[in-house]
Amino acid sequence: MTYDPQADALPVSRPAEPGRGAAAYRIFGETLRGMKTTFGRIVEGPTTVQYPEDKAPVYPRFRGRHRLHRFEDTGLEKCVGCSLCAAACPADCIRVVAAENTPELRISAGERYAAVYEINMSRCIFCGYCEVACPFDAITMGHDYELSDYDRSDLIFTKEMLLAEPVERAPLRAAGE
Amino acid sequence: MPRPRPRPIRFSIDGREVEAAENLMLVDAAKHGDVEIPVFCYEPKLGHPVGACRMCLVEIEGIPKLQTACSTPVKDGMVVHTQTDRVREAQEAVVEFLLINHPLDCPVCDKGGECPLQDVTFGWGPGRSRFIEPKRHFVKPLELSPVIAIDRERCILCYRCVRFSQEVAEDYQLVLLERGAHSYVSTFDGHPYVGPFTGNIIELCPVGALTSRPYRFRARPWDIEGAASVCTLCPSQCNVELTVRDERVMRVLSRQNDEVDDGWLCDKGRFAYQAVHVDQRVTAPLLREGGELREVSWERALDHAVGALARAGARTGALAGEGTTNEEAFLLGRLLREALGSPHVDSRAAAALPAGLHRALCHPRRQATVPDLEFAHAVLVLDCEPVDDAPIIDLRIRKGVRRHGLRLAVATSRPSSLDANAALSVRFSPGAGGAFVAALAAALTGADSEELAERAGADAGSVSALAELLRAAEDEEDGRREVVIVWGERLAHGALADQTIGDLVALADALEVHQAPGAGLLELPVHANGRGMREAGLVPDAGPGLAELGPGQAGRASAQIAAGLAEGDLVALYLLHVDPLRALPDRPAWERALAGAATVIAHAPLLTDGLREHADVVFPAEAYPEKEGTVVHPDGRLQRLRPGIAHPGEVRDGWRVLAELARRLGTDLGVASAGEASAQLFAAVSFYSGLTLEQIGGRGLRWPEREQAATEFGEREAPPAPTRDRAPEHQPPTLAGAAANGALHLDSYRSLWSAPEVQASPSLAFLHPQQRAEIAPADAQRLGVRDGQRVTVCAPTNGQPAAGQEGAGAREVQATVALRHALTPGVVLLQDGLERDSANALGDPGSAVEVRPE
Ligand code: SF4
Ligand code: SF4
Ligand code: SF4
Ligand code: SF4
Ligand code: FES
């Protein structure tokens, strides 16, 4: 049997060709409608953010670079080095090495503390799972999004960097903004 | 007792018809139907179930109340439900109950992530607790021992640890104190829980109540990788799983292999991994320059070694020990025999044995296996102390006695820790093991044994009672007799080694061990891979595969190597994982030998006395977690070592160094990888031929079970031991030469804790023994010494000044007196294998020594 390419071709249904009037509307009418939006916005003034002189404000729940926290009263670290954040991290970019608190050297409130706590920011996907996993609210996502550097190894944030009071560079969006 | 032969039955679980062996506990039988029943206290390794936790409740039709699946044997036609509302309610109630007082501090708990309580709560718990009352509190964490931390708040009172201590290790130290919610695990008097097997309770505990102190907070289950290997710190060769994080061994867990270790480890195996990562580890080649060992490049160290070996040529001796793999032993043999033309290699401490005797000993029909120890009708422990020589064997024997009604006989020169379990214990004089074997063999064959018993210093009546016990160890039903003889390599350390081994083989044949599959001999070698090194040909009078050597090819045994070095017949010594001062008998002779040797080349991971003072070149050696190769278990099982971590520093593989040395000496061994070394070994050893590493796999492979072995050694009968043409020459023990007062017979043993690895491990070092002179109270009174007093034990000096021996190696040791009631009067028991004051400075067991108060 010879192959007939027409035999299994599906019929294509097309709408009727537009008339002249419809074609004219398409060309001018729709364009004018778009221009209306454009001109309407022009009177509002420019919205371009002059980064880096100006910074875009972020929402309070924006997930930027992490912060580790201390208890305000005792100054002890909240993190106990349990590694749950490391287990939750889908990018596998947290490394925790725990050690034991001694009466002479008490770092955290629990029996153990994080001797090493590192987040590789060049790997982090800012999913916030670490924050969800932490049983002590020791790690939260901050607002800082300025995370570029000249060297990849500088993007491995250590515990000291994460604990330090960050310079809040990203403005928060005000309510209703 | 015969091995159980399970009868298959059918039962129904959750509506599924399932086949299982009768009397299997329901928990295990349910697995045949893919049903998981949660458990806490059930652990078949611990023996009979106790039903302490009630987690495993199930509904069985025809029984009104819920039943514990862990202690209900399955019967034909049983109908079991695990998914009904009643069962679910019970499970939730039990979890809720267990959690009432549980602190739930998972984030700081070392068990977190691998915790059965977490898993069961997640899988079968109610999800929410109704209890708002305050929880019970304990001080935590406490030190149960220097290696175990106990957190009593987390304990769910499952009894596993207590059962282990009471019924497996039989040290009876752990108990539950107090009542009700206030119960807690402790030792009876609050002393630390110290023993050879304590670490196992860490793995047994289903919660984080018992955790390892060296592993404390080191890693989480998701931070680590498991690497399978085999522990080579003693001949038991337990299968282990190394926990590795960042190329460091973090802990050692058991990798249960019932044919080898039954799922237990000793504390040496479990905690001595710390010695892999200590600062004193040798990680770069060392060369002696200006009297001091200095780190140098590999190039210089190799050049120096090659130069010295080339100069020495056939006047080189080589010794290997401890965890030397078969491949290393084989290549060392080739290096010496082929590249240097020297036949002087040894891996044993005793006089040389003819190849025929070696082969008679390892004949597959005479070989017992480790599980045989459990099911035999009788076991004879002959001149060895399993708990020190191969601790896991000790646990197997205890299990056999406790659970399978094994008749245990102990024949040793010193009190044994198995005496309490034994049906019969016989003592003989120190060093008279050979005579004792001869006497026992004579008694079994009906010959006159009395005179020999007397020479062995044993009671003739006991010898015949022992013979009778062994002969009568028969099955009531089929009359089969399965007797296993566990003997220590040190039995044959005397001058009459070949005679003793011949008698031992005769003894085994008199008991017809070759007729019963579960009977035979089981040797506990001195070195962890003693058997493998021998089979790889590292003995002076047999080649690879224990093949006969051609005439004139036999070399010197270790003692003659020492003599040769001292006298200048030999000039160089190659030491692979062995320090003769520590591991071999007759320390003074070895001190003279090492001082006399022009060059001493050693492979060692840790510097010990002899190497520190005498080695000229030290190559950094691998610790067992870094090794690749094979070892042979005392029952003939080939097992694979696989590298779990990378080599630290500049450490190189042992086979690579040996092959490189041979290449520079002009002989290409043709080995470029560890696999090639194994392939060469398998090709060279007749009864390994055709083996591959894949066949050995993770569980090992017993070569005596291979067809090859049957063809080579003969299918049926084991041939008798090669006959000797000498009459027994055993001499009765004598104290000739010793001063009349204070003369005692020396007896010695090597403690489990004497290994350099134990000494180097921070949290085990407390167990490393100090020299003790154990004597009977009567002797103490006679000598006027008290318990705890410092004494000097010295070899008799025949009136000459004690210093004697031209300074080198004074034959005396300092020790602390310990009174021991069970000890035979007239004997002083000292330890071997210590860094300082080791008993090998005095002489062989049985020689006369004097005890002098300081
Ligand atoms: S935000 Fe996500 S990717 Fe980044 S560290 Fe946390 S868990 Fe990992
Ligand atoms: S940040 Fe939180 S989750 Fe991560 S280790 Fe510390 S306590 Fe645990
Ligand atoms: S300490 Fe662990 S093993 Fe021992 S009874 Fe408590 S929970 Fe069980
Ligand atoms: S018994 Fe021997 S092989 Fe087993 S863990 Fe202990 S030292 Fe290692
Ligand atoms: S597992 Fe059955 S009662 Fe504990």
Side-chain angles (χ1 to χ4, degrees), chain B residues 483-675:
Chain B
V483 178
V484 177
I485 301 175
V486 182
W487 62 285
E489 188 185 332
R490 284 158 60 109
L491 173 67
H493 270 193
L496 302 179
D498 53 346
Q499 193 170 327
T500 303
I501 297 298
D503 287 333
L504 185 67
V505 173
L507 172 62
D509 290 351
L511 288 167
E512 295 172 336
V513 294
H514 51 281
Q515 303 285 11
L521 294 166
L522 188 65
E523 176 189 0
L524 304 184
V526 170
H527 295 299
N529 188 29
R531 178 160 184 169
M533 290 190 282
R534 255 171 263 166
E535 292 177 356
L538 210 65
V539 275
D541 33 23
L546 301 173
E548 299 267 0
L549 292 177
Q553 285 183 7
R556 294 166 181 250
S558 54
Q560 282 99 51
I561 293 181
L565 286 164
E567 285 154 16
D569 297 345
L570 299 180
V571 292
L573 179 63
Y574 200 106
L575 300 172
L576 194 57
H577 290 288
V578 65
D579 177 358
L581 291 193
R582 198 155 167 165
L584 298 180
D586 204 356
R587 183 176 171 122
W590 276 108
E591 278 184 357
R592 285 193 297 279
L594 290 178
T599 316
V600 178
I601 302 168
H603 281 250
L606 293 166
L607 282 187
T608 45
D609 237 13
L611 306 185
R612 205 173 292 123
E613 277 163 32
H614 299 287
D616 297 293
V617 184
V618 180
F619 295 125
E622 306 156 279
Y624 84 85
E626 294 145 25
K627 276 195 177 173
E628 188 168 2
T630 56
V631 288
V632 185
H633 186 273
D635 74 0
R637 175 176 299 273
L638 279 140
Q639 308 202 84
R640 270 182 87 176
L641 294 178
R642 299 193 208 202
I645 54 173
H647 293 151
E650 291 178 51
V651 175
R652 288 188 191 171
D653 316 76
W655 59 263
R656 194 186 297 276
V657 178
L658 292 167
E660 175 68 16
L661 286 174
R663 192 183 63 76
R664 293 187 185 213
L665 286 164
T667 311
D668 187 4
L669 298 184
V671 178
S673 73

Side-chain angles (χ1 to χ4, degrees), chain A residues 82-83 95-96 100 111-112, chain B residues 107 216 220 222 245-246:
Chain A
C82 69
S83 256
R95 177 165 176 263
V96 184
E100 185 165 9
E111 277 172 51
R112 56 196 272 166
Chain B
R216 196 165 162 76
R220 285 288 187 198
W222 48 85
R245 183 181 194 189
D246 299 339

Side-chain angles (χ1 to χ4, degrees), chain A residues 76-90:
Chain A
L76 293 176
E77 290 170 12
K78 283 188 176 175
C79 172
V80 297
C82 69
S83 256
L84 285 179
C85 46
C89 177

Side-chain angles (χ1 to χ4, degrees), chain B residues 40-125:
Chain B
F40 284 119
C41 67
Y42 178 59
E43 172 53 74
K45 287 195 283 186
L46 291 173
H48 295 297
V50 292
C53 72
R54 322 310 285 178
M55 192 60 234
C56 58
L57 292 174
V58 294
E59 204 172 333
I60 302 173
E61 279 184 17
I63 305 182
K65 287 195 174 181
L66 297 181
Q67 297 296 307
T68 47
C70 69
S71 46
T72 311
V74 65
K75 299 285 177 203
D76 202 23
M78 229 178 207
V79 181
V80 186
H81 299 286
T82 71
Q83 301 294 328
T84 59
D85 286 344
R86 261 179 91 200
V87 172
R88 209 163 292 140
E89 202 183 321
Q91 286 169 338
E92 290 186 356
V94 171
V95 170
E96 190 177 22
F97 177 72
L98 288 177
L99 293 182
I100 291 178
N101 273 321
H102 195 84
L104 283 178
D105 47 3
C106 308
V108 292
C109 173
D110 245 346
K111 199 79 173 182
E114 49 188 7
C115 175
L117 182 60
Q118 280 183 331
D119 297 346
V120 172
T121 305
F122 195 71
W124 289 270

Side-chain angles (χ1 to χ4, degrees), chain B residues 231 233-234 236-238 265-266 268-269 391-392:
Chain B
C231 171
L233 296 176
C234 88
S236 309
Q237 294 183 6
C238 303
L265 293 181
C266 76
K268 175 161 76 168
I392 295 304

